[in-house]
Amino acid sequence: MSKDFFLGIDIGSVSTNVVLLDKSGEVIENMYLRTQGKPIEVLQKALATLYEKYGDSLQIKGVGTTGSGRHLASLVVGADIVKNEITAHAKAAIFFVPDVRTIIEIGGQDSKIILIKDRIVIDFAMNTICAAGTGSFLDRQAERLNIPIEKFGEIAIKSQNPVRIAGRCAVFAESDMIHKQQLGHPCEDILFGLCLAMARNYLANLAKGKSLESPILFQGGVAANIAMKKAFEQLLGTQIIVPKYYNVMGAIGIALLAKERTKGLITKFRGFENINGCKFETKGFECRDCSNYCEVVGFYSNGNLVARWGDKCQKYSSNRNYHIENSKNL
Amino acid sequence: MKVGVPNSFCYAGMENFFIRVIPEVLEDSQIIFSGKTTKEIVEYGLKNSCDELCIPVKIFIGHVEYLIRQNQVDALFLPRLVSVLPGTYSCPKIIGIPDIIKSNYHGIELVVPEINLRKKRKIMSEESMKNKQLFDFPMAKIAKTKNIMVLAHSYVIFDEFLNKGILETIKNAGYNPIYPAYYRFNSFYNSSDLPKEFFWSSARDIYNYFEWARNSTDVDGVIYLMTFGCGIDSILQELIMRKCNKIGLPYLCITVDEHCAGVGIQTRIEAYLDMIEWRSNRDEKSCLPAHG
């Protein structure tokens, strides 16, 4: 077995994903963990598990981070590349299905559509402020109906006569669901109705004016839900592919990008032992020096200040030694 | 007398005009500008406005509140900008803004002269109207390559709170942002292919700039910064998107609202610039037609 490995880390709002690729791009290890509001701890734990399993034989040649927590993660591990999740998802999809034309990606807090032609991204869209059509909404509804989220798809797919639910707004959708449930509609019909409403909302919101060509890939955590796949297939009238590693595609993409970036270079990876032995902390305060009231965050490793961000004037972020005593804040 | 001028929304970029005109209209006056938008001003604005207003108007109300509370001004100078470009009208919210302020702030003197280039009606002195230059926005420098067109109302482009520093982000990524600088443009370029000219001055200005820039320089992409709830933006955005799709220019629409964190905007712009980069790399290698 080749000893060169590449690490991809995708820290999203709901899940933290870590993958290990070998030189040829084969997925050796993939982890899908819940972020639960503690991205640094979850990441440290995941890396510790990897280290326990492989020990020193694991030679990391490149690391990439993506997702909404990418900047934080890059400080923890020492990343070679920090990229947005759209580019990472497209990269992975093209790697597995070279002739892919459309990517439907639905994650915890956001959903995206990526259009590809000749292995190049030609257009994309991300959901706006509203999170009505995303995983965390499905999560909440499953919880309300007391159904484990893993069973959601299984139950919903049995539906023969799905109910009509308004999917524009999460609040309206919920009240619609409650009305239907009080009228006595069976659970599976309501659940599949919700899937259809979400798919309709997705197509109306993100895909408006765009033509969705086949092959269509469906990835992100929500792709685990077979009823969502069925709903999209029903609405689009075409087959949809759910790739094998649908829930860690972002992490695979960024690992592939890290592999490209580190060609002939030495990685900035800090090493498993250094990461696991370190105590990372963040401290924030609201600066009151001017009326912008910036929320400044400091990142500490073993009590030493590593970086600061969030200030508009950059007096904290550009100068690490800017003493807090200098300001009126503390 | 302390005269307050909220220099945001429709009055952004008019500072030099005010400095010239106010002493003529009001004697012994000390002009106080509200300055750049800060979080404090935004909070004032959100507290004092109703839901239906667009975010620039909410921020404007914050500027007014700030002037009254912090600077204790005796009067507010709010010209009614009915028409600032011959043959057009301003947005109804711009025309009505002195009334919004009048009905909410009692006990403060409002000076509301009218500027209406449509009817050539002059309420201000002949002398001050001779120089019709109302706005002084810095023009964007156009580079030879790697230009990214940022389209929006000027009060969005020049308000860092509203756009979350989008111009800086583009510059840091190695691209050159170009943008319309309000109303000056129409005088030397006017050739849109639309069946009918736009009714609103800002829409005409933005669309003409878009047409001019894409025809006369090398533009890599178009970003439209739309303010949530803006009627003019909603139609203009769609027109420009269709045009971009037709000619194969990469297009991105970003909606700005009250968000405090700029992360969402950052991600979209990064992905957008990656897409442009990816395309241009490919174009060189295999001689595919530019932009897909």
Side-chain angles (χ1 to χ4, degrees):
Chain A
M1 199 164 76
S2 139
K3 276 190 173 171
D4 295 356
F5 293 101
F6 298 92
L7 202 58
I9 297 161
D10 177 357
I11 300 198
S13 51
V14 173
S15 72
T16 293
N17 313 328
V18 178
V19 296
L20 197 63
L21 300 189
D22 72 2
K23 230 169 32 187
S24 62
E26 194 72 31
V27 180
I28 306 295
E29 200 68 54
N30 73 85
M31 296 183 191
Y32 178 90
L33 307 155
R34 293 251 163 180
T35 307
Q36 287 167 332
K38 298 175 201 141
I40 302 173
E41 283 170 38
V42 174
L43 177 60
Q44 271 182 307
K45 229 177 261 171
L47 293 179
T49 323
L50 273 183
Y51 190 60
E52 263 171 39
K53 195 164 170 189
Y54 294 93
D56 285 325
S57 68
L58 204 60
Q59 298 229 330
I60 302 294
K61 293 288 179 192
V63 187
T65 58
T66 185
S68 45
R70 58 187 181 275
H71 295 292
L72 200 62
S74 87
L75 285 174
V76 173
V77 296
D80 298 302
I81 187 165
V82 183
K83 272 262 182 248
N84 60 80
E85 48 273 37
I86 294 166
T87 313
H89 272 284
K91 184 83 195 164
I94 295 169
F95 181 74
F96 287 111
V97 185
D99 62 341
V100 58
R101 290 296 306 274
T102 309
I103 302 169
I104 295 173
E105 200 270 341
I106 305 183
Q109 282 285 323
D110 51 31
S111 48
K112 319 168 186 74
I113 185 164
I114 307 170
L115 302 183
I116 292 168
K117 196 178 175 189
D118 301 327
R119 308 176 72 179
I120 291 181
V121 178
I122 55 163
D123 201 359
F124 69 88
M126 244 170 121
N127 62 335
T128 44
I129 317 131
C130 181
T134 60
S136 47
F137 176 60
L138 277 186
D139 237 5
R140 232 181 73 78
Q141 293 312 319
E143 202 180 308
R144 200 176 59 79
L145 296 168
N146 209 5
I147 294 165
I149 188 74
E150 295 81 14
K151 292 261 167 69
F152 191 115
E154 261 173 62
I155 298 170
I157 209 152
K158 287 183 202 141
S159 163
Q160 295 297 320
N161 189 22
V163 295
R164 180 96 188 176
I165 287 170
R168 257 232 168 272
C169 164
V171 180
F172 293 166
E174 183 166 336
S175 61
D176 246 12
M177 280 172 70
I178 293 170
H179 287 160
K180 300 277 156 135
Q181 148 202 331
Q182 312 297 52
L183 285 173
H185 288 280
C187 188
E188 66 261 26
D189 286 350
I190 295 173
L191 289 182
F192 193 56
L194 180 65
C195 291
L196 281 170
M198 271 185 57
R200 226 179 295 129
N201 182 37
Y202 176 93
L203 294 174
N205 247 333
L206 290 172
K208 63 177 169 211
K210 305 186 198 311
S211 60
L212 276 64
E213 308 271 344
S214 289
I216 302 173
L217 248 62
F218 183 20
Q219 52 198 44
V222 174
N225 188 333
I226 44 173
M228 276 306 295
K229 176 176 178 263
K230 190 180 162 193
F232 272 117
E233 282 177 340
Q234 234 175 57
L235 291 174
L236 292 169
T238 172
Q239 281 283 314
I240 285 174
I241 307 161
V242 176
K244 188 178 167 198
Y245 300 107
Y246 61 89
N247 57 358
V248 294
M249 289 296 262
I252 294 174
I254 197 69
L256 290 168
L257 287 166
K259 191 178 136 206
E260 279 176 18
R261 173 64 65 91
T262 52
K263 210 169 264 178
L265 295 170
I266 296 165
T267 177
K268 292 183 197 143
F269 184 56
R270 300 177 56 193
F272 287 105
E273 272 165 345
N274 284 338
I275 295 168
N276 292 336
C278 235
K279 194 169 172 284
F280 297 105
E281 256 184 318
T282 52
K283 278 183 208 157
F285 63 89
E286 191 173 72
C287 174
R288 289 269 168 181
D289 283 2
C290 75
S291 53
N292 270 324
Y293 304 159
C294 294
E295 287 150 10
V296 186
V297 180
F299 184 81
Y300 298 81
S301 132
N302 279 344
N304 298 320
L305 183 65
V306 179
R308 278 211 193 107
W309 59 83
D311 47 341
K312 275 210 171 96
C313 63
Q314 302 189 332
K315 73 179 165 202
Y316 291 101
S317 50
S318 62
N319 184 2
R320 224 179 277 167
N321 300 321
Y322 189 89
H323 291 298
I324 290 179
E325 299 91 68
N326 284 352
S327 82
K328 297 168 244 166
N329 299 304
L330 293 169
Chain B
M1 188 163 71
K2 277 176 163 180
V3 183
V5 181
N7 54 339
S8 94
F9 193 40
C10 51
Y11 306 124
M14 284 177 79
E15 290 81 358
N16 287 337
F17 176 79
F18 285 133
I19 290 169
R20 214 165 55 227
V21 165
I22 291 178
E24 291 176 22
V25 184
L26 303 162
E27 278 170 20
D28 288 334
S29 53
Q30 181 199 353
I31 306 170
I32 296 170
F33 289 113
S34 56
K36 276 190 179 173
T37 306
T38 63
K39 213 193 252 177
E40 189 187 13
I41 287 179
V42 176
E43 266 166 33
Y44 281 148
L46 297 180
K47 236 181 261 170
N48 291 295
S49 45
C50 67
D51 292 345
E52 280 75 23
L53 292 172
C54 63
I55 183 77
V57 177
K58 288 182 184 172
I59 290 178
F60 179 83
I61 292 170
H63 278 261
V64 171
E65 181 88 15
Y66 176 79
L67 280 171
I68 294 173
R69 268 205 211 183
Q70 303 278 337
N71 299 82
Q72 264 126 36
V73 293
D74 307 308
L76 287 169
F77 190 79
L78 305 169
R80 194 186 298 278
L81 306 177
V82 179
S83 171
V84 291
L85 196 71
T88 62
Y89 277 116
S90 299
C91 155
K93 280 181 185 129
I94 293 178
I95 301 177
I97 210 143
D99 300 319
I100 297 177
I101 303 302
K102 200 191 282 170
S103 60
N104 282 298
Y105 293 95
H106 308 287
I108 190 149
E109 195 189 329
L110 292 188
V111 186
V112 187
E114 188 173 297
I115 296 178
N116 190 343
L117 300 186
R118 199 179 168 88
K119 284 188 177 161
K120 303 239 186 302
R121 189 153 48 124
K122 290 162 229 147
I123 304 267
M124 287 176 155
S125 73
E126 194 80 32
E127 202 52 35
S128 61
M129 284 307 290
K130 254 185 203 162
N131 191 345
K132 274 185 189 159
Q133 174 122 6
L134 297 173
F135 299 90
D136 284 297
F137 285 116
M139 286 281 270
K141 282 197 187 82
I142 293 169
K144 277 202 179 111
T145 52
K146 290 198 152 191
N147 287 314
I148 298 281
M149 207 194 301
V150 182
L151 298 176
H153 301 277
S154 295
Y155 48 78
V156 180
I157 291 181
F158 295 100
D159 188 334
E160 273 176 35
F161 179 86
L162 264 178
N163 65 34
K164 305 282 175 272
I166 186 175
L167 300 181
E168 277 303 308
T169 311
I170 294 172
K171 267 182 214 158
N172 291 343
Y175 286 88
N176 179 43
I178 58 172
Y179 40 81
Y182 238 48
Y183 311 130
R184 286 179 175 181
F185 216 76
N186 205 60
S187 53
F188 62 92
Y189 187 79
N190 195 349
S191 95
S192 75
D193 52 349
L194 296 171
K196 186 175 170 289
E197 276 288 345
F198 273 106
F199 189 68
W200 310 286
S201 36
S202 55
R204 195 180 284 193
D205 194 58
I206 294 169
Y207 195 83
N208 285 345
Y209 185 83
F210 165 72
E211 284 289 332
W212 172 79
R214 77 176 180 83
N215 283 321
S216 53
T217 53
D218 186 16
V219 177
D220 280 2
V222 177
I223 298 177
Y224 198 104
L225 278 178
M226 183 175 163
T227 49
F228 186 73
C230 177
I232 297 176
D233 277 349
S234 66
I235 184 160
L236 195 58
Q237 188 272 125
E238 186 71 26
L239 278 170
I240 290 176
M241 182 188 76
R242 288 183 189 188
K243 195 75 188 251
C244 284
N245 286 348
K246 211 165 136 194
I247 57 179
L249 204 56
Y251 176 84
L252 176 71
C253 175
I254 291 179
T255 312
V256 293
D257 199 9
E258 289 167 26
H259 311 84
C260 277
V263 187
I265 292 183
Q266 291 282 347
T267 302
R268 283 165 178 81
I269 292 187
E270 275 176 30
Y272 179 72
L273 296 177
D274 271 351
M275 175 174 93
I276 291 173
E277 194 91 348
W278 210 341
R279 277 185 184 198
S280 58
N281 286 345
R282 177 66 69 87
D283 289 347
E284 281 160 15
K285 273 177 207 156
S286 66
C287 299
L288 274 172
H291 313 306

